[in-house]
Amino acid sequence: MKGDAQPLIKFFDGSDKRFIIPLYQRNYDWKEENCEQLFQDLMKLHNSDRKSHFFGSIVSSIQSGTEDRFIIDGQQRITTVSLLLIAMVNAKKEGLIEATDAKLVEKIFKRYLVDEYQEDERKVKLKPIKKDMQAFDALLYKPKEQYIKESNVTRNYDFFYDKIIRAGLTLDELFETIKKLEVINIRLDEDDDPQLIFESLNSTGLDLSEADKIRNYLLMSLAPAEQDNLYTRFWNPIEEFTKYDPSSFVRDYLTMKQGKIGRIDKIYFIFKEYA
């Protein structure tokens, strides 16, 4: 495991670099108050002499032979800043924010949001979980009428879009402030155990449901293609049929199998022991 402090925007930068949110992760769920706090921090940072603002840590592992980074911790921050950048680009394209650097919009779009040289049909750098990905891509490529309004991705984008056009800053000023966000970039080695690290992060405050932890336990050790297959065939239907309360479903399943009702906040550990 290796780690160092660096600007978040440097973590984003780089050709052939993509950020993959593994299927065992939860969906994007930052609330408006989290986005409000980030934007207020940026405004304070802009109005101060501070050179940096600590924005947490990002834990990732690199897929062998590629620049793809599997995000083990930090997907909420990466997704949120990506939404902020998209809102900046769209606001400038629509003439609602000024820019001194005429090429800044193109720079943000091509260096931090997409990889135009990617051989895959989808050239977006961030690959969220399936339903989040549909909403995210719509913000980049589709007209507003086709945005997925019920998605948390779209709601937070709308929040930032409104804040940006009312903030009174130029695109250049806001981007220079974002460049002051600093993270601890932690990269796992091949012999590091992502499962143990994920559990350790969770035990120190990562707010995951019992089902989130079970999904991680079941999928994390598998190859990406097998993860995708099992998630699509089994886990996603379970989430949809239970109205996104799979924790209760797993408790009922274990109750039938074991003949006793477990505590809902201990279902992950009960499932682990059962498995």
Side-chain angles (χ1 to χ4, degrees), residues 25-37:
Q25 293 274 22
R26 57 184 170 170
N27 289 325
Y28 175 67
D29 66 356
W30 257 34
K31 306 296 188 293
E32 184 175 305
E33 54 263 33
N34 303 122
C35 297
E36 175 71 43
Q37 183 63 58

Side-chain angles (χ1 to χ4, degrees), residues 74-121:
Q75 71 129 322
Q76 304 291 325
R77 291 185 292 279
I78 291 173
T79 305
T80 300
V81 172
S82 296
L83 293 175
L84 177 56
L85 292 174
I86 296 172
M88 290 164 59
V89 167
N90 288 349
K92 177 61 181 75
K93 286 181 176 179
E94 292 159 16
L96 298 174
I97 182 173
E98 298 296 325
T100 304
D101 182 352
K103 294 185 177 180
L104 184 54
V105 162
E106 183 181 5
K107 175 183 175 181
I108 293 173
F109 186 78
K110 291 186 176 181
R111 290 184 62 175
Y112 308 112
L113 294 172
V114 303
D115 174 13
E116 60 181 335
Y117 302 109
Q118 176 60 239
E119 293 182 1
D120 293 348
E121 182 179 348

Side-chain angles (χ1 to χ4, degrees), residues 232-253:
T232 302
R233 291 175 57 204
F234 299 109
W235 191 266
N236 192 51
I238 289 172
E239 288 185 332
E240 291 180 344
F241 282 123
T242 61
K243 296 183 179 178
Y244 296 91
D245 184 20
S247 297
S248 295
F249 168 78
V250 175
R251 180 173 66 171
D252 292 343
Y253 172 83

Side-chain angles (χ1 to χ4, degrees), residues 58-229:
I58 295 174
V59 183
S60 64
S61 61
I62 300 178
Q63 185 176 4
S64 179
T66 73
E67 284 294 309
D68 292 351
R69 282 160 168 75
F70 288 88
I71 306 301
I72 295 170
D73 184 42
Q75 71 129 322
Q76 304 291 325
R77 291 185 292 279
I78 291 173
T79 305
T80 300
V81 172
S82 296
L83 293 175
L84 177 56
L85 292 174
I86 296 172
M88 290 164 59
V89 167
N90 288 349
K92 177 61 181 75
K93 286 181 176 179
E94 292 159 16
L96 298 174
I97 182 173
E98 298 296 325
T100 304
D101 182 352
K103 294 185 177 180
L104 184 54
V105 162
E106 183 181 5
K107 175 183 175 181
I108 293 173
F109 186 78
K110 291 186 176 181
R111 290 184 62 175
Y112 308 112
L113 294 172
V114 303
D115 174 13
E116 60 181 335
Y117 302 109
Q118 176 60 239
E119 293 182 1
D120 293 348
E121 182 179 348
R122 185 179 186 271
K123 300 184 184 299
V124 184
K125 281 197 169 192
L126 179 64
K127 184 180 180 182
I129 295 174
K130 291 182 183 298
K131 291 197 173 180
D132 287 344
M133 183 164 62
Q134 295 171 9
F136 189 87
D137 288 4
L139 302 175
L140 283 166
Y141 296 117
K142 294 185 178 181
K144 288 184 178 181
E145 303 77 46
Q146 296 182 33
Y147 289 177
I148 302 176
K149 293 296 185 182
E150 64 272 16
S151 170
N152 201 42
V153 168
T154 308
R155 285 193 289 268
N156 286 350
Y157 163 85
D158 287 340
F159 171 85
F160 284 128
Y161 184 90
D162 183 66
K163 287 288 185 180
I164 288 166
I165 63 179
R166 297 174 186 274
L169 301 184
T170 65
L171 186 70
D172 314 68
E173 290 172 326
L174 186 51
F175 185 64
E176 286 299 314
T177 305
I178 291 172
K179 287 165 66 176
K180 294 182 179 180
L181 294 176
E182 191 169 88
V183 297
I184 302 298
N185 178 17
I186 300 173
R187 303 169 299 282
L188 303 188
D189 297 322
E190 288 185 6
D191 56 350
D192 289 324
D193 188 339
Q195 168 77 22
L196 294 178
I197 292 169
F198 187 89
E199 288 188 4
S200 176
L201 289 166
N202 179 68
S203 69
T204 56
L206 191 63
D207 186 19
L208 299 177
S209 71
E210 295 298 287
D212 288 330
K213 290 179 276 187
I214 290 169
R215 181 180 59 198
N216 160 56
Y217 173 75
L218 292 171
L219 298 179
M220 180 177 274
S221 62
L222 304 176
E226 191 173 3
Q227 288 182 19
D228 188 77
N229 178 41

